[in-house]
Amino acid sequence: MGTISWLRGAGPLVPFAVGFEEERGLGYRPGAIRHHMVLIGQLDRWLTGEGLAVEDLSIALVEGFLASRRASGRRRVPTVVTVARLLEYLRDLQVVPLETLATELLRQGADLIGIAQVLRQSDLGTTSGYAKIDRAVLRTVAQPWPGTRR
């Protein structure tokens, strides 16, 4: 596969891009890998423009990146799930902490089974350990007991 021009830069994702391309290249169509690499390049430029490092990456930041893409008038904006493959790769390298990814998915309303699938874990007990419950968020989403006031 040919080198994509942004890989010659010095952005925060450049050191991880080649490994991502090689690892994800197994079993994926070349066009899908190229699409992911272009997306990573766009995210790399956005992180650089925002002054952020790879360690700062989170679901919330990815959503900010995608929102900026939509606001710029892009018609075809990927979903968080598409970028989640990169986050999974960075998690496997222990660049993005498991706890951050799981907690953010939980805050967004994902269930433990869905979080376990993203983290590639078969034991929900392990997943629940990474997904820290935010008590303030619980208070805001908790439903009052029937017949009582809030």
Side-chain angles (χ1 to χ4, degrees):
M1 186 173 282
T3 303
I4 296 178
S5 63
W6 70 267
L7 289 174
R8 290 183 233 123
L13 290 176
V14 171
F16 305 101
V18 174
F20 179 80
E21 182 179 24
E22 289 172 358
E23 182 176 309
R24 300 301 177 188
L26 304 172
Y28 283 85
R29 292 178 297 116
I33 291 300
R34 184 151 184 85
H35 172 73
H36 273 92
M37 295 305 291
V38 168
L39 180 63
I40 292 170
Q42 294 165 351
L43 180 59
D44 183 74
R45 285 188 297 280
W46 183 81
L47 286 171
T48 301
E50 296 290 317
L52 298 168
V54 176
E55 297 80 18
D56 299 325
L57 263 179
S58 64
I59 299 289
L61 275 179
V62 168
E63 286 179 339
F65 161 69
L66 297 175
S68 73
R69 306 280 298 156
R70 280 189 285 280
S72 70
R74 306 269 180 183
R75 290 186 306 168
R76 294 179 56 193
V77 176
T79 64
V80 173
V81 174
T82 304
V83 184
R85 287 182 181 27
L86 172 63
L87 291 177
E88 289 172 14
Y89 174 72
L90 294 172
R91 176 195 53 92
D92 291 345
L93 295 176
Q94 298 179 347
V95 176
V96 176
L98 284 171
E99 185 177 308
T100 303
L101 183 56
T103 302
E104 287 196 40
L105 288 169
L106 185 65
R107 282 186 185 143
Q108 292 178 10
D111 61 2
L112 280 180
I113 294 171
I115 295 170
Q117 289 172 346
V118 168
L119 297 179
R120 296 185 199 156
Q121 296 173 336
S122 57
D123 181 17
L124 291 181
T126 304
T127 305
S128 64
Y130 288 117
K132 304 295 183 202
I133 296 176
D134 186 344
R135 294 184 191 281
V137 172
L138 272 179
R139 283 188 201 101
T140 61
V141 298
Q143 299 295 317
W145 192 258
T148 63
R149 290 189 191 165
R150 193 169 213 183

